[in-house]
Amino acid sequence: MLSKDSKIYVAGHHGLVGSAIWNNLLQRGYTNLVGRTHKELDLTDQVAVKQFFDEERPDAVVLAAAFVGGIMANSLYRADFIMMNMKIQCNVISEAYAHGVKKLLFLGSTCIYPKNAPQPMKEDCLLTSPLEYTNEEYAIAKIAGLKMCESYNLQYGTNYIAVMPTNLYGPNDNFHLENSHVMPAMMRKVYLAKLIHDGAWDKIAIDLNKRPVEGVTGEGLSTVNCQLSIKQKVLNLLAKYGIENNKVTLWGTGTPLREFLWSEDMADASVHVLLNVNFSDIIGIEKYSSVHYGASTDGAVDRNHSAGRGGAIPKLGEIRNCHINVGTGKELTIRELSELVAKAVGFEGKVEFDTSKPDGTMRKLIDVSKLHSLGWTHKVEIEDGVKKLYDWYKKSLSSQ
C-alpha cells in the first residue's frame, strides 16, 4: 500500500484520463505528485526519461501518456502510432524497473481485442483472432505494453498492473471536429446546428475562436455589420461536417452499439487499482507472492531473484491475460446516444444518418466481472454523463 507521502509520477497528467487521475489522487490526500508536460519531458527520448527518473525517483508511476488519434490519423500515420507508443512504454517501464518503482499502472485501450471477438469481451479473448485493421498498430503497441507489465512481474516479481478502458468521455475531452471521438463530435455538431437555427452568431464566433475548424475562427462573425459572405463561408464549412440549420447528419445507420465510461470514473477505478490491487490478486494465486517475494516481509522486490526467468514458473503454470477491463458493462446504440445529446443540448431539430457512410464495428462491449470482483463498479450512468459533459463544454467556451 502506498502511503500518503509516496511520490507518484503521472505521465500524461494534462490528458483526459491523466488529469482526472491527478485530481482523484489529490482528493484522496496523495499530494506528492509529479507531472511533466510534453515540452518539459519527451517520453520517446530514452536519455531524457532516464534523467527524469534519476532526479525524481518516484515510488509509483501511472502511465497515462500515449500518442493517440482517430481513425484517419491511425490510417495515415501507422509507423508513428506503433513506434511512438512503443518508445514511450519501453522507456517508462524499463526506467521504472531500474529505479525500483514499487507500483506501476499502465493504461491501454479495449482496441487490443480482436475485431470479431465474442461479446461482451473478456480479458482472455486477447490474441485469439485478427485485430481491426484501421488501428492495428496502436493496438499492437498497447498489447506490447500490457505484456511488458505481465512479463516484468513474472520475471522480476514487480507489481505492474495494466488496465484497459472502454470509450471514455468527460472533462478536457477533445471537441475538435477534425479528430474528436464520437460523443464530443456529436455534441458539438448538435450545439452548432442549434446556434445556427437561433441566429446566435456571437456564440458561434466564441465556439470557433475556442476551437477553430480547418483553421477558420469566428473572427468578424459577432460584429453588427458582419458580411453575409463571412457567414456563408462558415455555413459551408460546417455543412461539410453535417452541421446545418436545425439539422445534423451523422455517419452510418445509427445501429452500432457502444459502451461509454465517464473519465472521472475511469480515474477512480485506476486509483483504486493502484492503491488496492496487486498482481497476485489478479492471477488469484497466493503462491505467486511466496515464489517471488520469499524472504521479504514488506513486499519489496528481490531484484536478484530469477525464478521466473524465461517467462514460465513451473509451480504456477501458464499465466496470461492479467490486464483488467474497465467500463460499465452497459451499451446503447449511436442513435440512442444522439437522442441523449439532443436532449441535453435542448436541440429540437433533425438528427439524420447517412447510411452510405460506414458504421465501423457493430458492437464493442467489454466484460467487467474481473473489475467488479476486485471491488470497483462505475458510478456515473450515461444519461447523467452526457449532461455533465455538455455542462463542461459550455463552461469551456467561457474560459480562456
Side-chain angles (χ1 to χ4, degrees):
M1 180 70 176
L2 296 170
S3 64
K4 291 293 175 67
D5 59 355
S6 296
K7 180 182 283 190
I8 303 174
Y9 168 45
V10 182
H13 72 298
H14 280 176
L16 175 65
V17 183
S19 61
I21 289 174
W22 182 282
N23 292 332
N24 189 286
L25 285 165
L26 287 177
Q27 291 166 9
R28 292 176 185 243
Y30 291 82
T31 58
N32 191 7
L33 306 181
V34 181
R36 294 287 187 277
T37 64
H38 177 68
K39 289 183 179 179
E40 293 169 330
L41 175 61
D42 180 358
L43 294 177
T44 67
D45 184 335
Q46 185 176 11
V47 174
V49 174
K50 181 182 184 303
Q51 183 178 356
F52 166 79
F53 274 86
D54 286 344
E55 294 171 354
E56 293 294 342
R57 297 198 168 269
D59 299 300
V61 170
V62 176
L63 182 44
F67 185 72
V68 298
I71 294 176
M72 184 63 72
N74 274 273
S75 299
L76 292 175
Y77 308 114
R78 299 179 75 89
D80 289 347
F81 271 89
I82 191 165
M83 184 61 74
M84 298 284 279
N85 284 297
M86 289 292 289
K87 283 183 176 180
I88 291 170
Q89 296 162 191
C90 288
N91 290 341
V92 174
I93 294 173
S94 63
E95 291 304 328
Y97 172 70
H99 290 81
V101 166
K102 298 175 184 176
K103 193 79 175 281
L104 182 142
L105 185 73
F106 172 75
L107 276 68
S109 165
T110 53
C111 72
I112 63 169
Y113 293 118
K115 179 178 181 178
N116 298 315
Q119 304 286 323
M121 299 180 289
K122 293 179 177 288
E123 286 86 354
D124 60 8
C125 73
L126 181 68
L127 298 176
T128 56
S129 61
L131 298 164
E132 162 60 45
Y133 181 74
T134 56
N135 62 2
E136 192 173 38
E137 278 67 25
Y138 182 75
I140 288 172
K142 287 300 179 182
I143 292 170
L146 73 86
K147 284 295 182 182
M148 282 183 221
C149 293
E150 189 177 284
S151 301
Y152 266 82
N153 293 341
L154 292 174
Q155 182 167 342
Y156 296 117
T158 51
N159 202 7
Y160 301 167
I161 313 296
V163 290
M164 302 294 130
T166 188
N167 301 299
L168 300 174
Y169 68 106
N172 296 314
D173 217 330
N174 173 17
F175 283 82
H176 291 276
L177 293 180
E178 294 101 313
N179 59 5
S180 57
H181 289 134
V182 59
M183 191 187 300
M186 182 188 294
M187 185 169 287
R188 189 179 180 194
K189 289 177 181 181
V190 169
Y191 174 69
L192 287 171
K194 182 178 186 296
L195 293 185
I196 294 172
H197 179 69
D198 295 343
W201 288 99
D202 55 334
K203 293 183 179 179
I204 294 174
I206 292 171
D207 185 277
L208 292 177
N209 284 332
K210 183 73 176 184
R211 299 175 179 88
V213 178
E214 295 185 13
V216 175
T217 67
E219 184 177 357
L221 276 180
S222 57
T223 61
V224 175
N225 298 319
C226 175
Q227 297 178 12
L228 287 176
S229 60
I230 296 177
K231 290 183 177 179
Q232 193 59 52
K233 178 183 177 183
V234 169
L235 289 173
N236 291 341
L237 174 65
L238 295 181
K240 286 175 57 180
Y241 293 90
I243 305 165
E244 301 174 74
N245 184 345
N246 222 28
K247 177 184 173 183
V248 172
T249 304
L250 304 174
W251 279 26
T253 63
T255 57
L257 289 158
R258 290 292 182 271
E259 174 183 15
F260 295 93
L261 178 68
W262 182 245
S263 61
E264 292 174 334
D265 268 357
M266 173 59 194
D268 194 63
S270 298
V271 175
H272 173 81
V273 170
L274 179 70
L275 301 179
N276 302 299
V277 177
N278 296 311
F279 185 61
S280 55
D281 299 322
I282 296 172
I283 62 177
I285 301 176
E286 293 182 3
K287 288 188 296 182
Y288 171 82
S289 295
S290 63
V291 169
H292 274 299
Y293 299 116
S296 174
T297 58
D298 61 359
V301 176
D302 176 4
R303 305 203 173 280
N304 296 316
H305 188 77
S306 59
R309 222 171 266 283
I313 304 173
K315 291 182 180 180
L316 302 185
E318 291 187 358
I319 294 177
R320 54 167 60 95
N321 302 328
C322 302
H323 55 287
I324 306 168
N325 287 339
V326 182
T328 64
K330 300 179 180 181
E331 60 190 345
L332 77 168
T333 67
I334 296 298
R335 184 180 294 277
E336 289 170 334
L337 176 64
S338 72
E339 292 168 356
L340 291 179
V341 169
K343 183 178 179 181
V345 175
F347 179 71
E348 297 180 350
K350 292 182 179 180
V351 176
E352 297 184 350
F353 288 86
D354 183 353
T355 58
S356 69
K357 296 292 193 295
D359 269 326
T361 305
M362 292 305 296
R363 193 181 184 205
K364 192 179 176 186
L365 179 68
I366 55 173
D367 185 298
V368 290
S369 55
K370 180 188 287 189
L371 178 66
H372 289 175
S373 72
L374 294 169
W376 189 91
T377 56
H378 74 283
K379 300 175 182 64
V380 178
E381 299 295 349
I382 187 69
E383 294 82 3
D384 294 328
V386 168
K387 296 175 187 175
K388 287 160 69 77
L389 183 64
Y390 182 56
D391 288 342
W392 181 89
Y393 183 67
K394 287 189 295 183
K395 289 178 182 176
S396 77
L397 294 174
S398 61
S399 63
Q400 297 299 318

mmCIF file with all atom_site columns, all heavy atoms in Angstrom, residues 341-352:
data_model
loop_
_atom_site.group_PDB
_atom_site.id
_atom_site.type_symbol
_atom_site.label_atom_id
_atom_site.label_alt_id
_atom_site.label_comp_id
_atom_site.label_asym_id
_atom_site.label_entity_id
_atom_site.label_seq_id
_atom_site.pdbx_PDB_ins_code
_atom_site.Cartn_x
_atom_site.Cartn_y
_atom_site.Cartn_z
_atom_site.occupancy
_atom_site.B_iso_or_equiv
_atom_site.pdbx_formal_charge
_atom_site.auth_seq_id
_atom_site.auth_comp_id
_atom_site.auth_asym_id
_atom_site.auth_atom_id
_atom_site.pdbx_PDB_model_num
ATOM 1  N N   . VAL A 1 341 ? -27.897 13.270 -26.400 1.00 0.00 ? 341 VAL A N   1
ATOM 2  C CA  . VAL A 1 341 ? -27.154 14.505 -26.656 1.00 0.00 ? 341 VAL A CA  1
ATOM 3  C C   . VAL A 1 341 ? -28.112 15.633 -27.028 1.00 0.00 ? 341 VAL A C   1
ATOM 4  O O   . VAL A 1 341 ? -28.009 16.752 -26.515 1.00 0.00 ? 341 VAL A O   1
ATOM 5  C CB  . VAL A 1 341 ? -26.103 14.293 -27.765 1.00 0.00 ? 341 VAL A CB  1
ATOM 6  C CG1 . VAL A 1 341 ? -25.518 15.622 -28.220 1.00 0.00 ? 341 VAL A CG1 1
ATOM 7  C CG2 . VAL A 1 341 ? -24.994 13.363 -27.272 1.00 0.00 ? 341 VAL A CG2 1
ATOM 8  N N   . ALA A 1 342 ? -29.066 15.347 -27.926 1.00 0.00 ? 342 ALA A N   1
ATOM 9  C CA  . ALA A 1 342 ? -30.035 16.361 -28.352 1.00 0.00 ? 342 ALA A CA  1
ATOM 10 C C   . ALA A 1 342 ? -30.843 16.874 -27.158 1.00 0.00 ? 342 ALA A C   1
ATOM 11 O O   . ALA A 1 342 ? -31.097 18.087 -27.028 1.00 0.00 ? 342 ALA A O   1
ATOM 12 C CB  . ALA A 1 342 ? -30.967 15.785 -29.417 1.00 0.00 ? 342 ALA A CB  1
ATOM 13 N N   . LYS A 1 343 ? -31.218 15.972 -26.274 1.00 0.00 ? 343 LYS A N   1
ATOM 14 C CA  . LYS A 1 343 ? -31.989 16.356 -25.088 1.00 0.00 ? 343 LYS A CA  1
ATOM 15 C C   . LYS A 1 343 ? -31.167 17.255 -24.171 1.00 0.00 ? 343 LYS A C   1
ATOM 16 O O   . LYS A 1 343 ? -31.670 18.268 -23.657 1.00 0.00 ? 343 LYS A O   1
ATOM 17 C CB  . LYS A 1 343 ? -32.439 15.100 -24.342 1.00 0.00 ? 343 LYS A CB  1
ATOM 18 C CG  . LYS A 1 343 ? -33.302 15.385 -23.129 1.00 0.00 ? 343 LYS A CG  1
ATOM 19 C CD  . LYS A 1 343 ? -33.758 14.095 -22.465 1.00 0.00 ? 343 LYS A CD  1
ATOM 20 C CE  . LYS A 1 343 ? -34.611 14.377 -21.236 1.00 0.00 ? 343 LYS A CE  1
ATOM 21 N NZ  . LYS A 1 343 ? -35.039 13.122 -20.559 1.00 0.00 ? 343 LYS A NZ  1
ATOM 22 N N   . ALA A 1 344 ? -29.893 16.908 -23.974 1.00 0.00 ? 344 ALA A N   1
ATOM 23 C CA  . ALA A 1 344 ? -29.023 17.695 -23.098 1.00 0.00 ? 344 ALA A CA  1
ATOM 24 C C   . ALA A 1 344 ? -28.808 19.099 -23.650 1.00 0.00 ? 344 ALA A C   1
ATOM 25 O O   . ALA A 1 344 ? -28.787 20.085 -22.902 1.00 0.00 ? 344 ALA A O   1
ATOM 26 C CB  . ALA A 1 344 ? -27.686 16.990 -22.921 1.00 0.00 ? 344 ALA A CB  1
ATOM 27 N N   . VAL A 1 345 ? -28.663 19.208 -24.973 1.00 0.00 ? 345 VAL A N   1
ATOM 28 C CA  . VAL A 1 345 ? -28.393 20.496 -25.621 1.00 0.00 ? 345 VAL A CA  1
ATOM 29 C C   . VAL A 1 345 ? -29.671 21.325 -25.766 1.00 0.00 ? 345 VAL A C   1
ATOM 30 O O   . VAL A 1 345 ? -29.622 22.551 -25.915 1.00 0.00 ? 345 VAL A O   1
ATOM 31 C CB  . VAL A 1 345 ? -27.727 20.273 -27.000 1.00 0.00 ? 345 VAL A CB  1
ATOM 32 C CG1 . VAL A 1 345 ? -27.539 21.582 -27.759 1.00 0.00 ? 345 VAL A CG1 1
ATOM 33 C CG2 . VAL A 1 345 ? -26.376 19.576 -26.820 1.00 0.00 ? 345 VAL A CG2 1
ATOM 34 N N   . GLY A 1 346 ? -30.823 20.663 -25.712 1.00 0.00 ? 346 GLY A N   1
ATOM 35 C CA  . GLY A 1 346 ? -32.085 21.356 -25.952 1.00 0.00 ? 346 GLY A CA  1
ATOM 36 C C   . GLY A 1 346 ? -32.348 21.538 -27.436 1.00 0.00 ? 346 GLY A C   1
ATOM 37 O O   . GLY A 1 346 ? -32.980 22.499 -27.874 1.00 0.00 ? 346 GLY A O   1
ATOM 38 N N   . PHE A 1 347 ? -31.881 20.582 -28.214 1.00 0.00 ? 347 PHE A N   1
ATOM 39 C CA  . PHE A 1 347 ? -31.989 20.629 -29.678 1.00 0.00 ? 347 PHE A CA  1
ATOM 40 C C   . PHE A 1 347 ? -33.283 19.955 -30.120 1.00 0.00 ? 347 PHE A C   1
ATOM 41 O O   . PHE A 1 347 ? -33.540 18.799 -29.789 1.00 0.00 ? 347 PHE A O   1
ATOM 42 C CB  . PHE A 1 347 ? -30.773 19.909 -30.280 1.00 0.00 ? 347 PHE A CB  1
ATOM 43 C CG  . PHE A 1 347 ? -30.757 19.843 -31.783 1.00 0.00 ? 347 PHE A CG  1
ATOM 44 C CD1 . PHE A 1 347 ? -30.530 20.979 -32.537 1.00 0.00 ? 347 PHE A CD1 1
ATOM 45 C CD2 . PHE A 1 347 ? -30.940 18.634 -32.445 1.00 0.00 ? 347 PHE A CD2 1
ATOM 46 C CE1 . PHE A 1 347 ? -30.490 20.922 -33.925 1.00 0.00 ? 347 PHE A CE1 1
ATOM 47 C CE2 . PHE A 1 347 ? -30.903 18.560 -33.826 1.00 0.00 ? 347 PHE A CE2 1
ATOM 48 C CZ  . PHE A 1 347 ? -30.682 19.713 -34.573 1.00 0.00 ? 347 PHE A CZ  1
ATOM 49 N N   . GLU A 1 348 ? -34.109 20.679 -30.877 1.00 0.00 ? 348 GLU A N   1
ATOM 50 C CA  . GLU A 1 348 ? -35.395 20.143 -31.315 1.00 0.00 ? 348 GLU A CA  1
ATOM 51 C C   . GLU A 1 348 ? -35.442 19.927 -32.826 1.00 0.00 ? 348 GLU A C   1
ATOM 52 O O   . GLU A 1 348 ? -36.503 19.680 -33.392 1.00 0.00 ? 348 GLU A O   1
ATOM 53 C CB  . GLU A 1 348 ? -36.520 21.085 -30.880 1.00 0.00 ? 348 GLU A CB  1
ATOM 54 C CG  . GLU A 1 348 ? -36.631 21.200 -29.361 1.00 0.00 ? 348 GLU A CG  1
ATOM 55 C CD  . GLU A 1 348 ? -37.740 22.142 -28.924 1.00 0.00 ? 348 GLU A CD  1
ATOM 56 O OE1 . GLU A 1 348 ? -38.299 22.842 -29.799 1.00 0.00 ? 348 GLU A OE1 1
ATOM 57 O OE2 . GLU A 1 348 ? -38.043 22.177 -27.719 1.00 0.00 ? 348 GLU A OE2 1
ATOM 58 N N   . GLY A 1 349 ? -34.273 20.011 -33.467 1.00 0.00 ? 349 GLY A N   1
ATOM 59 C CA  . GLY A 1 349 ? -34.212 19.817 -34.912 1.00 0.00 ? 349 GLY A CA  1
ATOM 60 C C   . GLY A 1 349 ? -34.088 18.353 -35.289 1.00 0.00 ? 349 GLY A C   1
ATOM 61 O O   . GLY A 1 349 ? -34.395 17.452 -34.503 1.00 0.00 ? 349 GLY A O   1
ATOM 62 N N   . LYS A 1 350 ? -33.594 18.104 -36.504 1.00 0.00 ? 350 LYS A N   1
ATOM 63 C CA  . LYS A 1 350 ? -33.498 16.748 -37.034 1.00 0.00 ? 350 LYS A CA  1
ATOM 64 C C   . LYS A 1 350 ? -32.079 16.187 -36.851 1.00 0.00 ? 350 LYS A C   1
ATOM 65 O O   . LYS A 1 350 ? -31.093 16.892 -37.058 1.00 0.00 ? 350 LYS A O   1
ATOM 66 C CB  . LYS A 1 350 ? -33.837 16.730 -38.522 1.00 0.00 ? 350 LYS A CB  1
ATOM 67 C CG  . LYS A 1 350 ? -35.282 17.039 -38.845 1.00 0.00 ? 350 LYS A CG  1
ATOM 68 C CD  . LYS A 1 350 ? -35.514 16.943 -40.350 1.00 0.00 ? 350 LYS A CD  1
ATOM 69 C CE  . LYS A 1 350 ? -36.977 17.217 -40.711 1.00 0.00 ? 350 LYS A CE  1
ATOM 70 N NZ  . LYS A 1 350 ? -37.193 17.117 -42.188 1.00 0.00 ? 350 LYS A NZ  1
ATOM 71 N N   . VAL A 1 351 ? -32.006 14.924 -36.473 1.00 0.00 ? 351 VAL A N   1
ATOM 72 C CA  . VAL A 1 351 ? -30.745 14.177 -36.489 1.00 0.00 ? 351 VAL A CA  1
ATOM 73 C C   . VAL A 1 351 ? -30.924 13.055 -37.501 1.00 0.00 ? 351 VAL A C   1
ATOM 74 O O   . VAL A 1 351 ? -31.759 12.166 -37.306 1.00 0.00 ? 351 VAL A O   1
ATOM 75 C CB  . VAL A 1 351 ? -30.388 13.603 -35.109 1.00 0.00 ? 351 VAL A CB  1
ATOM 76 C CG1 . VAL A 1 351 ? -29.118 12.759 -35.208 1.00 0.00 ? 351 VAL A CG1 1
ATOM 77 C CG2 . VAL A 1 351 ? -30.191 14.721 -34.095 1.00 0.00 ? 351 VAL A CG2 1
ATOM 78 N N   . GLU A 1 352 ? -30.187 13.130 -38.600 1.00 0.00 ? 352 GLU A N   1
ATOM 79 C CA  . GLU A 1 352 ? -30.294 12.129 -39.650 1.00 0.00 ? 352 GLU A CA  1
ATOM 80 C C   . GLU A 1 352 ? -29.001 11.327 -39.760 1.00 0.00 ? 352 GLU A C   1
ATOM 81 O O   . GLU A 1 352 ? -27.947 11.763 -39.298 1.00 0.00 ? 352 GLU A O   1
ATOM 82 C CB  . GLU A 1 352 ? -30.610 12.809 -40.993 1.00 0.00 ? 352 GLU A CB  1
ATOM 83 C CG  . GLU A 1 352 ? -31.942 13.532 -40.986 1.00 0.00 ? 352 GLU A CG  1
ATOM 84 C CD  . GLU A 1 352 ? -32.287 14.129 -42.341 1.00 0.00 ? 352 GLU A CD  1
ATOM 85 O OE1 . GLU A 1 352 ? -31.397 14.137 -43.231 1.00 0.00 ? 352 GLU A OE1 1
ATOM 86 O OE2 . GLU A 1 352 ? -33.437 14.588 -42.513 1.00 0.00 ? 352 GLU A OE2 1
#
